[in-house]
Every structure is written in C-alpha cells, then in structure tokens.
Amino acid sequence: MKFLFVSNYINHHQIPLCEAIMRIIGDENFIFVQTQPMEEERVRMGWGVDVSSLTYLKIYDNDKIFTLNAINDFDVVMLGWTENDEVREACLKRADSGKLLLRMSERIYREGQWKAISPKGLISKYKEHIRFRNKKVYMLCNGAYVASDFALIGAYPNKMFRWGYFPEYREYTKEQMRNMKRMEDNKTPRILWAGRFMDGVKHPEFALELAAYLKEKNYSFHIDVVGDGEMGDDLHYYVDENRLTDVVTFHGFLPPSRVRQMMEEAHIYLFTSNNLEGWGAVVNEAMNAGCAVVAGSMAGAVPYLIKDGENGYIYNAEDLQSFLNKAEDLVRHPSKQQKFGNNAYNTIKDLWNSNIAARRLIDFCSATIKDKEYIAPNDGPMSYAPIIKPYINPEKPL
C-alpha cells in the first residue's frame, strides 16, 4: 500500500502517527508532503521540526511533479488542511476519478452553525465536500463537533469517523507514575496550564481566577502557567494585584519536551479553551501523563477523550463557576486526582494513541480499496463519528 499524507506542515503532534503508519506498511511506502512553512509564532513556541531528519518528508515547492503524480497514483491519499489550491484541486480530481481520498478536518462552522445558510458558502462546500457523497471520499473528524457541521450540509453520510491528533505516547509503570507525581506526599497538588495567551480563545485567566478562589478558601496548591501572548501584561498584573505570586508561577514558552515533563509532575491539568480550539493535543498529552484534566466542553478533543467524572471533569462551555466548582472538587479530593489520572492514562494507552489509530486506519483503507466491508470499532479512532450538536452540557451534582 502506497500512502500519501498531505498537509500544511508537519509538527510534533503528527510525527508519531506517520511513524506508526510506516511500521505497518513499510518506510518506503509512506510520504508526507508539507505545502507551506510553519508560522513563526509556532516556531517560537518550540513547534519547529528539523525536516532534514525526516526521510519520508517532501517539501511541495521542491517536489511539485512528484507530489501531483503521487496524488493521482498512490493507493491512499490523506488530505489535511492546506491553503495550496493546486494541491487541493489535484486531490479533488483524484476523488472525481473514484480513487480513495481521506479528508481530515476540524470544524468548518466553529464560529457558529448559522454560517451554513450562506449561499456563497454552500456553493464552496458543494464543490469541495457535498458532491462526493457517493465517491470513495471519507471524513476523519478532528473533533467531536465536526460531524455535526458536515451533517448540517448533507456531506459524508455514514462516512465520518472519529479521529484527532496523536502526540507522542509514553508508557509508565504504576511505580513510575507514583514517583513522578510524588503521590506519597501529595498534600500540595501541582496544577498546570499551558498554551498561548489568546484573548477570547484559550482563557488563561481562568487559571488565575482559580488561584484567587482557592487561596481565599485556604487550600494548599500551586499553579504553573506556561506560555505567553497578547494577554501577558494583564495576567501578570492580575497576579500581582491579587497577591498570588506565592501560588502562581509564570514560565513563559517552554520546549514541548519540558512541558511534557511538567505534565508528568502535575496532578491536575487545566484545559480552558473554547469552541475556537479545533482539537487541543495538550489534552492527549496531559492524560497520557496521568493528569486529572479539567476541561471545557467546547473544544474538539474533550467529548472524545474525556468521560466526565470517570477520567476527568468537563465543565460547561465558558462558565467560570462551573470550572471553579469542578477544579475545587479535585483539589479537595486527592483520591479523585489519582483515580482520574490513572483512568486518563489508560484511555490513552488502550484507545487514543498513534499505534491504535494507525492500525485501524490501515485496516479501513485495505478494506475500502478492496471494496470489502469495514467493521468499525465501537469507540476511539475510526469508529463512526456520532452527530453531537454543539455543545454538550455535562453539568450534574458532584
């Protein structure tokens, strides 16, 4: 099987999946084509990848003829996000010919499903999605609300699957986990927030509101905040003004490897992004590191990865009080931190990792190429994506 993955650029969240696919089909049968350079902001955040070290990666501007031929000739083409019209048109031409094309997408109406009524928008969506209802074109949904968006316009009926991003998966023994978390003397839970300080998207201020809330109630805790951005001055001012410097530490941007280490040491991870966050790979990473995650219900990864009250907490939309209540409950109950963290780790180990995703993806492609029935699993990657209308409301008594 010859497999071509086309996307804007490769990053550390995609490499594990690429390598897992190669382990199944052979290194010589997999190519990733990068269609544009990574944005400078993400490079500054530590997302940059030494592309010269990846033997399976090609740069579109350097390999146009190869890429366009591969799009036509390879057994499988998986198309992620790209702004390159030439590449996208070649992929659509492939789909017209009846060859297998996998689309991978985050939400198309993340700012509101009312946008689906736009006549101009519908013409565009018909050309790129709707007209392939009866072709071998399938949607891998990078987020729990993606299927709802595409169902709204009648695209991909019975052809949408749960998918996502699959950052590096690490295995830990129970003893390693206990040592990392220092569970024997867990009297001061370490709480972590990491991301860009983006106003109206990431809600880093929620972490600081929690610090003030917990300190007023005399809890023992410490919150580490990793990141920077447009809200930086306001966030630092809030901490100083509310005398939180003893319980909050700002770290600025750190390399992804250091952030993963901090997740390994943390007991609770705060994921406070709203609907403008397509997926949120930090959720995968924090769960893999055994953190009890408190996450908002609007981001794409959350309803797929977290079962509220079992392997983490989901709070309602952008409701600050809902967030404070659930975070406080974890701080108050160390046993829940450990239970949720262990269950979160098992969720990634048993279901949501690159090895399982790659195996299921290749099984699907093999069946589809041969016109055989694909027996979908009940949950996890490559299970049928349920139509979940934005947004789930997990509120219930604690």
Side-chain angles (χ1 to χ4, degrees):
M1 180 187 296
K2 303 288 278 187
F3 194 112
L4 182 70
F5 186 174
V6 182
S7 192
N8 52 358
Y9 48 73
I10 198 162
N11 60 54
H12 62 290
H13 293 152
Q14 294 166 319
I15 290 174
L17 177 67
C18 295
E19 294 180 346
I21 292 173
M22 287 192 293
R23 285 193 292 271
I24 298 171
I25 66 174
D27 294 8
E28 70 280 7
N29 293 318
F30 179 87
I31 296 291
F32 185 106
V33 173
Q34 176 171 299
T35 63
Q36 68 187 63
M38 184 178 291
E39 300 96 330
E40 284 300 318
E41 183 180 12
R42 291 194 183 275
V43 174
R44 289 195 301 272
M45 291 171 60
W47 281 40
V49 173
D50 179 11
V51 296
S52 65
S53 67
L54 304 177
T55 58
Y56 56 87
L57 185 136
K58 292 184 179 293
I59 306 298
Y60 178 71
D61 287 343
N62 301 335
D63 294 284
K64 287 187 179 182
I65 294 176
F66 170 87
T67 300
L68 296 176
N69 286 337
I71 288 173
N72 182 64
D73 297 337
F74 274 32
D75 300 300
V76 181
V77 174
M78 184 160 73
L79 176 62
W81 170 253
T82 178
E83 295 179 349
N84 189 303
D85 292 335
E86 190 173 29
V87 167
R88 191 162 53 248
E89 286 302 318
C91 289
L92 298 185
K93 184 178 179 181
R94 172 190 171 89
D96 276 326
S97 72
K99 297 175 182 177
L100 176 59
L101 177 66
L102 305 176
R103 302 298 305 268
M104 190 172 68
S105 179
E106 295 179 2
R107 292 193 63 193
I108 55 173
Y109 299 123
R110 70 177 70 185
E111 295 177 359
Q113 290 188 336
W114 58 270
K115 289 196 171 188
I117 65 174
S118 163
K120 183 178 179 180
L122 281 174
I123 292 172
S124 172
K125 297 298 183 294
Y126 177 82
K127 178 184 176 183
E128 191 159 341
H129 299 289
I130 302 170
R131 69 189 176 99
F132 298 111
R133 288 168 57 94
N134 298 317
K135 298 286 188 178
K136 284 187 176 180
V137 186
Y138 300 85
M139 176 54 62
L140 307 185
C141 299
N142 282 358
Y145 304 113
V146 174
S148 177
D149 282 358
F150 282 107
L152 201 62
I153 57 174
Y156 307 106
N158 302 312
K159 297 197 298 180
M160 293 187 282
F161 299 92
R162 287 185 179 95
W163 197 244
Y165 296 98
F166 304 93
E168 178 192 4
Y169 164 63
R170 298 180 183 177
E171 286 194 21
Y172 308 99
T173 65
K174 290 183 178 180
E175 183 178 1
Q176 286 174 324
M177 191 72 74
R178 293 186 69 85
N179 290 337
M180 290 188 315
K181 306 291 183 186
R182 298 179 181 175
M183 291 178 179
E184 299 301 334
D185 55 358
N186 180 15
K187 296 180 181 178
T188 302
R190 304 283 306 189
I191 304 171
L192 178 63
W193 187 99
R196 288 176 288 171
F197 297 166
M198 295 176 65
D199 191 21
V201 180
K202 302 284 189 177
H203 288 306
E205 73 276 10
F206 274 34
L208 306 186
E209 293 276 6
L210 177 64
Y213 180 81
L214 295 176
K215 186 172 183 178
E216 184 178 359
K217 294 193 170 190
N218 294 316
Y219 286 105
S220 177
F221 69 97
H222 193 89
I223 298 181
D224 292 293
V225 178
V226 177
D228 208 340
E230 62 193 55
M231 299 174 66
D233 290 344
D234 290 340
L235 297 176
H236 282 275
Y237 177 81
Y238 182 94
V239 167
D240 291 339
E241 190 71 8
N242 290 275
R243 299 179 181 178
L244 300 174
T245 54
D246 58 328
V247 293
V248 175
T249 301
F250 288 103
H251 296 269
F253 283 131
L254 296 173
S257 58
R258 175 61 182 132
V259 178
R260 280 296 287 261
Q261 182 183 352
M262 294 181 72
M263 288 175 175
E264 291 172 344
E265 297 166 353
H267 305 99
I268 299 170
Y269 187 85
L270 309 176
F271 182 67
T272 53
S273 294
N274 63 14
N275 56 297
L276 299 180
E277 182 81 67
W279 177 257
V282 290
V283 178
N284 305 58
E285 295 173 311
M287 292 174 71
N288 184 194
C291 293
V293 178
V294 182
S297 62
M298 303 174 83
V302 175
Y304 276 1
L305 299 185
I306 298 179
K307 290 181 170 55
D308 186 54
E310 295 182 23
N311 63 355
Y313 269 144
I314 302 175
Y315 67 89
N316 187 34
E318 297 173 277
D319 186 334
L320 176 61
Q321 193 58 54
S322 174
F323 164 75
L324 294 176
N325 290 344
K326 294 204 167 184
E328 180 187 10
D329 187 69
L330 280 178
V331 172
R332 187 191 304 128
H333 298 112
S335 61
K336 279 190 180 180
Q337 297 170 30
Q338 186 171 344
K339 174 188 172 183
F340 287 7
N342 289 339
N343 290 344
Y345 172 76
N346 289 332
T347 297
I348 303 302
K349 176 176 72 73
D350 297 336
L351 198 60
W352 281 97
N353 64 68
S354 58
N355 295 322
I356 291 172
R359 178 72 269 170
R360 291 181 175 185
L361 181 65
I362 296 305
D363 287 347
F364 169 79
C365 292
S366 297
T368 305
I369 290 169
K370 298 173 184 176
D371 292 321
K372 293 184 177 180
E373 182 184 6
Y374 170 65
I375 308 299
N378 293 325
D379 197 2
M382 297 309 295
S383 59
Y384 285 110
I387 308 301
I388 304 174
K389 185 174 177 60
Y391 296 97
I392 63 168
N393 186 343
E395 283 303 323
K396 59 184 180 181
L398 295 174

